[in-house]
Amino acid sequence: MGTEQSNTDNERALEDGIVTDLTGRMTYGSYLGLDELLNAQHPVSDPEHHDELLFIIQHQTTELWLKQLLHELGSARTLLASDDLREALKRVARVKRIQDVMTQQWSVLATLTPTEYAQFRGALGNSSGFQSVQYRAVEFALGNKNERMLQVFRDHPANLALLKAEFERPTLYDEFLRFAARRGLPIPTEILERDVREPYRPHPSLVPAIREIYENPQTHWDLYEACEDLVDLEDNFQFWRFRHLKTVTRTIGMKPGTGGSSGVGFLQRALELTFFPELYTVRTEIGG
């Protein structure tokens, strides 16, 4: 068939320049490692339940996005440390778009009914999203550090090393506040010199500096924009947590989690955690 053929037969002709002999060439599949990726789904139910593939792919996809989140958050912190706020915010903007995708994904898993899930849930053993090292690393990168979580991965050296590195590294908020201090904002020394291995906790002494940014946006426009981007990021994370909670509630009700947690109650308490508390506290004071 020549390149001049029309589409009247509902068939599109291949253009002459399209490579069809792929022998020895880099291909779409080899570049993306599709042989490994598409063969990484191994249902364990016996007989295999139709919906288990969805359950596996949903969680594998989430892990891929978590890997990208860690990549972006790591870069954003490095950029802030080198005083490149503009490029750091570009990374944060991408994080926010990924968060949107991750939250929307819950609607796919929510098509799994309680009856369907119950038919293969027992085959999962003690495997649980609680054991996701990348999720914990993202929480650590944003400030919800918990040294006890390191124990969960003590038998997996690579995972332990990944999480320990995040445990010992300054959070995104730490790097932002250090940047703000270098710009002349009165960030308390106790925050700049805090032990970054500790979970970030609210510091009332920081609120005046944040209020300075919000009440003088023309003077501190880039910092003002950064604060709002961080609020977006935290809101998105909480939306993800809430959507997770509602999907679990819809699917298993009040049953305990496969990993031994209380299930819904454990997820509910995560909604009480915060990453950037002063960015919310300041809203009560502005205009007051």
Side-chain angles (χ1 to χ4, degrees):
M1 298 180 183
T3 57
E4 298 303 318
Q5 178 187 356
S6 69
N7 289 339
T8 55
D9 294 329
N10 204 30
E11 181 180 84
R12 182 178 59 175
L14 294 183
E15 297 174 349
D16 292 338
I18 293 178
V19 177
T20 57
D21 182 1
L22 301 175
T23 305
R25 296 175 182 266
M26 170 79 75
T27 68
Y28 177 79
S30 62
Y31 175 68
L32 296 177
L34 291 184
D35 286 344
E36 296 84 3
L37 184 64
L38 298 180
N39 285 285
Q41 295 76 45
H42 306 291
V44 296
S45 54
D46 186 19
E48 181 180 326
H49 192 281
H50 172 81
D51 295 312
E52 190 179 355
L53 182 63
L54 165 64
F55 191 81
I56 292 171
I57 288 177
Q58 168 91 19
H59 289 84
Q60 287 181 338
T61 303
T62 296
E63 289 296 329
L64 287 172
W65 283 127
L66 288 170
K67 182 174 183 177
Q68 189 66 34
L69 286 184
L70 287 171
H71 182 62
E72 303 297 343
L73 291 170
S75 177
R77 283 175 286 173
T78 298
L79 289 163
L80 283 171
S82 62
D83 292 333
D84 192 345
L85 179 61
R86 176 186 292 185
E87 198 67 23
L89 293 185
K90 178 66 167 62
R91 304 292 190 268
V92 172
R94 182 173 292 164
V95 166
K96 292 193 296 181
R97 298 290 76 78
I98 294 171
Q99 288 178 307
D100 289 342
V101 173
M102 290 177 64
T103 299
Q104 287 299 318
Q105 283 183 186
W106 287 117
S107 65
V108 181
L109 194 62
T111 64
L112 182 66
T113 69
T115 302
E116 292 163 345
Y117 185 42
Q119 291 169 3
F120 68 87
R121 186 179 188 236
L124 306 182
N126 292 126
S127 62
S128 166
F130 174 82
Q131 299 151 10
S132 169
V133 67
Q134 292 194 124
Y135 175 79
R136 296 303 165 192
V138 169
E139 281 197 324
F140 281 16
L142 295 176
N144 286 164
K145 297 192 178 182
N146 185 339
E147 187 173 9
R148 288 173 295 179
M149 284 304 306
L150 297 175
Q151 300 173 15
V152 177
F153 306 100
R154 62 182 180 273
D155 294 328
H156 194 300
N159 284 350
L160 180 60
L162 186 156
L163 195 57
K164 190 172 182 180
E166 283 296 343
F167 180 69
E168 295 176 348
R169 184 175 181 179
T171 70
L172 181 65
Y173 201 32
D174 286 323
E175 293 292 7
F176 171 68
L177 294 176
R178 292 175 182 183
F179 173 83
R182 294 193 297 272
R183 286 282 297 272
L185 271 294
I187 309 299
T189 301
E190 66 186 88
I191 297 175
L192 298 176
E193 297 178 354
R194 81 179 193 91
D195 184 350
V196 298
R197 297 171 298 179
E198 292 292 322
Y200 186 87
R201 297 182 175 90
H203 293 81
S205 59
L206 175 59
V207 176
I210 302 299
R211 183 169 182 171
E212 163 68 20
I213 294 172
Y214 272 90
E215 291 186 335
N216 296 281
Q218 296 307 318
T219 303
H220 308 292
W221 182 260
D222 56 350
L223 295 174
Y224 176 75
E225 182 180 35
C227 287
E228 285 298 280
D229 281 341
L230 292 179
V231 170
D232 287 342
L233 193 158
E234 174 154 348
D235 280 356
N236 287 350
F237 204 98
Q238 293 290 45
F239 292 153
W240 186 92
R241 281 171 166 164
F242 180 75
R243 196 69 181 89
H244 183 196
L245 166 69
K246 299 306 291 183
T247 301
V248 170
T249 304
R250 176 176 180 147
T251 307
I252 67 168
M254 302 305 291
K255 294 185 183 72
T258 50
S261 75
S262 59
V264 168
F266 184 75
L267 297 177
Q268 181 75 50
R269 289 190 291 277
L271 293 172
E272 300 171 2
L273 303 175
T274 182
F275 298 128
F276 320 123
E278 294 83 9
L279 299 186
Y280 290 86
T281 301
V282 74
R283 284 156 162 75
T284 304
E285 298 196 4
I286 291 174

